[in-house]
Amino acid sequence: MSQPRNPMSIPETVSFLEQLYLGRFRWDLLRPFPRQDEADRKIGDDLARSLRELLTGRVDSDAVDRTGRLPDGLLDALQEHGFLKARVPTELGGLAVSQFTMFRLIEQAAQVSIPAALTLGIENSVGVGPMLPYLPEGDLRDLIAARLRQGTISGIADTEPEGAANLARFTTATQVGDEYRINGEKIHVGNAPIAELLIVSATVREDDGEHRRLFVVDTDSAGVTHTARHEFMGVKGFPNGGVRFDDVAVPVTRMVRTPPRDDIRLTLEASTMIVAGRLFMIVAPSLAIARQCVDWSCRFVSERKIDSRPLSEYEEIQRRIAESAADVFAIEAVAEWSLLSPTFADGGNPVFEQNAAKNIGSVIAGRVVDRTMSILAGEGYETASSKAERGSARRFPLERALRDVRNFRISGGVEFQLDYWTAEKAIFTYYHPDPDNLAEIEANRVEFDGLTGTDLSDRNEQHLRAAARAVRELSRICLSVARRHPDPATLAAHERPLILVSELANELLTVALVLAKAATLVADGHPSADDLADVYCTSAFHRVAYLRDQLAEQDGPHFGRLAATVLRPAEENRS
């Protein structure tokens, strides 16, 4: 590969998704599909069992949803057992678990309590513990190590009342002698009501201009005020809130000394933490909810009849349950590749795939919950507490799951905004200027070498070949879009094609990972994986066709004109 064109590329490593952007279907990179090391799996099994027992014994999920609070003593218990610093080295009192074991722990926690799982996710993905490996030797590293030994709770304060998508940060840090004075306000701060340390983003004026920097701030510092504990429509009980900083004095040693980046909102290290952290905070609970929905659907239809005919015998019910099971399989495949990829063995994170995983997992889980709601109908829409009051044996909290899962499409970046950013900052960096493999794309040849004899069924080998053709077509679509808008700034103003291209890439990535995982399982004697892959890919290619149709549309409706008409009364009232 030539020199990478965007910051997500890792020198000397090859990303399947990065290659996919360029029209290359690198099936060889996915085989054999990665698995968790057996010894690590056993560690994860034991820890997951212990965590589930701890949470089941202490958390009444209905009560947490009703009161909006986690039970007293839970955080102390989680800290005592090491779960709040599961990724921290053992010499600092942590469990030093692998990334995939951490994912499994959060998914297990989410099956008992989404708010508890999110608290674990924040601490173990974007708290001060995960930041430690990025810090050079010095006062700040020593401080954080000491606080981790003491069992600190932390979080990251970045989003501001002006919005999360702004590149600028309105919170400022002004140097006064050997201190910085921080002023500003943050909202939607995970773990804010319980955190003792916060990683705070702020704008700093330096000799060469203004840069976004990160500071580690004690929440009991003078001038730090907790403004409100946020209540959301879902994830009730997750400690989340606002924080105001009024001339908060922070020693200069508390600034994270990493090179500033003007093209991203945070430092590169923090952005890398957040990209991987979305797997813990979003994909893991999304998978937990989707998995539960399949279980609830099966239990419901196995007990219900319509005019003496079992609900499970109806074709549409069978189709919907099969699609949900295949969707769970897809989320598993994406998570496993994103956290077990051989890229790690080469010393790098599969950042392209991890970035895509957030939208893939949350969108798929949303489909599963919606499908389950239609199957359970009134019993799905009814709250668990209402079912308990009337003595129902089926108290599946699907109504709560619907509220919770909707959060994951907006948390960590609204899905369409993240798709737009990915296309602009990643995909189209390879098409402005022309891609290095331009002749290959224009020749429109598709290589099918290695796509037969895979242990997959004939239908799935057809899906494989269809995926290879679709990946080549993706590169031709990207080339066409880029040539219609040769100026990257002009292309960036046309948001819709960028969003659609990113969605298309995500669909094709998931198809490839599903097929690769299935091929490995079938070879190991698990034939049901063939059906799971076939069901998933069949539905996925319907979505692919729909996305292609939209991208091919040249003269569509005048959305801007209609939007201006609709917006006019609001703008007139504002003036």
Side-chain angles (χ1 to χ4, degrees):
M1 263 183 88
S2 61
Q3 183 67 23
R5 293 185 181 180
N6 72 70
M8 285 200 292
S9 293
I10 302 170
E12 310 307 323
T13 64
V14 181
S15 158
F16 177 83
L17 182 54
E18 186 177 15
Q19 291 290 293
L20 186 150
Y21 291 158
L22 292 164
R24 296 169 174 149
F25 188 75
R26 291 291 306 277
W27 177 245
D28 59 299
L29 297 177
L30 304 183
R31 303 295 312 280
F33 196 76
R35 307 182 193 192
Q36 187 177 22
D37 174 78
E38 184 62 20
D40 192 43
R41 185 189 65 78
K42 290 179 179 178
I43 292 171
D45 288 346
D46 291 340
L47 287 172
R49 191 180 308 111
S50 174
L51 177 59
R52 189 177 185 93
E53 289 174 357
L54 187 158
L55 292 174
T56 302
R58 290 177 174 270
V59 180
D60 179 339
S61 295
D62 292 336
V64 171
D65 190 59
R66 184 172 59 254
T67 64
R69 294 291 189 275
L70 291 170
D72 294 339
L74 176 63
L75 294 177
D76 291 338
L78 291 170
Q79 192 71 270
E80 179 184 347
H81 287 79
F83 292 117
L84 286 179
K85 46 184 175 180
R87 294 276 295 145
V88 170
T90 53
E91 59 266 27
L92 299 180
L95 301 177
V97 303
S98 67
Q99 292 229 57
F100 193 68
T101 290
M102 189 71 249
F103 180 90
R104 291 183 59 200
L105 291 178
I106 294 173
E107 189 212 335
Q108 191 65 230
Q111 294 194 32
V112 180
S113 169
I114 293 291
L118 293 179
T119 298
L120 285 173
I122 290 285
E123 189 63 53
N124 285 290
S125 62
V126 293
V128 293
M131 176 184 278
L132 193 63
Y134 296 107
L135 298 177
E137 296 293 336
D139 291 344
L140 183 56
R141 185 183 177 92
D142 293 343
L143 168 77
I144 289 178
R147 297 295 287 273
L148 287 170
R149 286 191 188 94
Q150 297 168 13
T152 193
I153 297 177
S154 61
I156 187 166
D158 179 47
T159 301
E160 297 177 330
E162 293 83 0
N166 294 301
L167 193 59
R169 278 297 168 260
F170 298 95
T171 298
T172 61
T174 305
Q175 187 167 1
V176 180
D178 59 357
E179 293 180 335
Y180 280 94
R181 299 298 175 91
I182 299 179
N183 288 277
E185 184 177 358
K186 303 290 185 177
I187 61 172
H188 301 164
V189 181
N191 284 359
I194 60 174
E196 299 154 305
L197 283 178
L198 286 176
I199 302 167
V200 181
S201 60
T203 297
V204 178
R205 178 169 290 282
E206 300 178 6
D207 292 340
D208 59 343
E210 292 185 344
H211 299 293
R212 289 167 293 285
R213 295 284 198 172
L214 298 178
F215 296 83
V216 177
V217 180
D218 283 289
T219 57
D220 62 358
S221 300
V224 175
T225 304
H226 291 274
T227 56
R229 184 170 183 138
H230 301 324
E231 180 182 359
F232 302 115
M233 65 181 286
V235 299
K236 293 183 181 295
F238 171 43
N240 191 294
V243 185
R244 188 172 66 245
F245 304 90
D246 295 309
D247 220 26
V248 177
V250 178
V252 293
T253 55
R254 294 286 193 98
M255 185 173 78
V256 178
R257 296 286 177 180
T258 55
R261 289 287 300 269
D262 292 333
D263 58 337
I264 55 177
R265 193 170 72 242
L266 300 174
T267 66
L268 182 59
E269 292 78 6
S271 296
T272 301
M273 283 169 51
I274 288 172
V275 167
R278 293 188 188 118
L279 280 141
F280 302 133
M281 296 182 289
I282 297 167
V283 182
S286 292
L287 176 57
I289 289 175
R291 204 187 298 281
Q292 284 181 315
C293 282
V294 172
D295 177 59
W296 296 339
S297 295
C298 291
R299 289 162 63 185
F300 180 82
V301 304
S302 66
E303 297 171 1
R304 290 292 292 267
K305 295 181 179 180
I306 298 178
D307 297 330
S308 300
R309 183 184 179 189
L311 197 58
S312 59
E313 293 181 1
Y314 285 82
E315 180 190 40
E316 186 61 21
I317 295 296
Q318 294 172 352
R319 182 188 185 98
R320 288 170 181 260
I321 288 178
E323 287 178 332
S324 291
D327 277 345
V328 168
F329 187 79
I331 302 175
E332 290 173 344
V334 171
E336 288 163 6
W337 179 259
S338 298
L339 293 171
L340 296 172
S341 165
T343 304
F344 280 122
D346 298 329
N349 274 12
V351 183
F352 286 91
E353 286 87 339
Q354 289 181 347
N355 184 65
K358 182 269 179 184
N359 273 2
I360 293 170
S362 60
V363 169
I364 290 177
R367 283 203 304 262
V368 174
V369 174
D370 190 68
R371 200 180 287 129
T372 306
M373 183 65 73
S374 293
I375 291 173
L376 270 62
E379 285 203 27
Y381 200 62
E382 184 182 8
T383 64
S385 58
S386 173
K387 284 180 274 196
E389 288 178 9
R390 64 179 176 83
S392 172
R394 292 186 294 265
R395 300 178 186 178
F396 313 140
L398 181 59
E399 171 268 341
R400 183 165 73 236
L402 180 65
R403 288 187 281 114
D404 289 346
V405 81
R406 191 60 181 88
N407 167 72
F408 301 135
R409 280 172 54 195
I410 61 172
S411 181
V414 177
E415 76 274 41
F416 68 82
Q417 186 65 34
L418 191 58
D419 281 331
Y420 166 77
W421 180 88
T422 297
E424 182 195 17
K425 301 295 185 185
I427 299 175
F428 280 95
T429 58
Y430 295 101
Y431 292 87
H432 288 114
D434 283 341
D436 298 336
N437 63 330
L438 177 62
E440 177 186 317
I441 293 172
E442 290 184 327
N444 200 25
R445 288 191 301 270
V446 181
E447 298 293 337
F448 295 118
D449 292 346
L451 301 187
T452 57
T454 62
D455 294 309
L456 291 169
S457 66
D458 289 343
R459 283 184 57 83
N460 278 327
E461 288 198 349
Q462 290 174 21
H463 290 318
L464 258 182
R465 291 191 289 274
R469 286 191 294 270
V471 167
R472 168 61 72 220
E473 181 61 22
L474 171 67
S475 66
R476 292 175 64 79
I477 290 171
C478 289
L479 185 62
S480 174
V481 171
R483 286 182 169 173
R484 287 202 305 271
H485 307 285
D487 178 5
T490 302
L491 174 61
H494 293 270
E495 297 173 323
R496 189 63 179 170
L498 273 67
I499 292 169
L500 294 172
V501 162
S502 190
E503 289 181 3
L504 182 54
N506 286 353
E507 289 285 1
L508 296 175
L509 169 66
T510 309
V511 163
L513 296 179
V514 163
L515 289 167
K517 177 179 169 70
T520 296
L521 290 176
V522 170
D524 287 347
H526 300 283
S528 63
D530 231 337
D531 287 333
L532 288 165
D534 186 15
V535 168
Y536 184 82
C537 293
T538 298
S539 295
F541 279 118
H542 289 312
R543 294 189 293 272
V544 166
Y546 179 59
L547 291 167
R548 281 175 175 162
D549 287 346
Q550 292 181 80
L551 281 161
E553 187 178 69
Q554 296 295 319
D555 298 316
H558 204 307
F559 294 101
R561 184 171 62 211
L562 178 56
T565 302
V566 175
L567 286 167
R568 190 174 299 121
E571 292 174 346
E572 290 173 350
N573 289 336
R574 185 180 60 197
S575 61

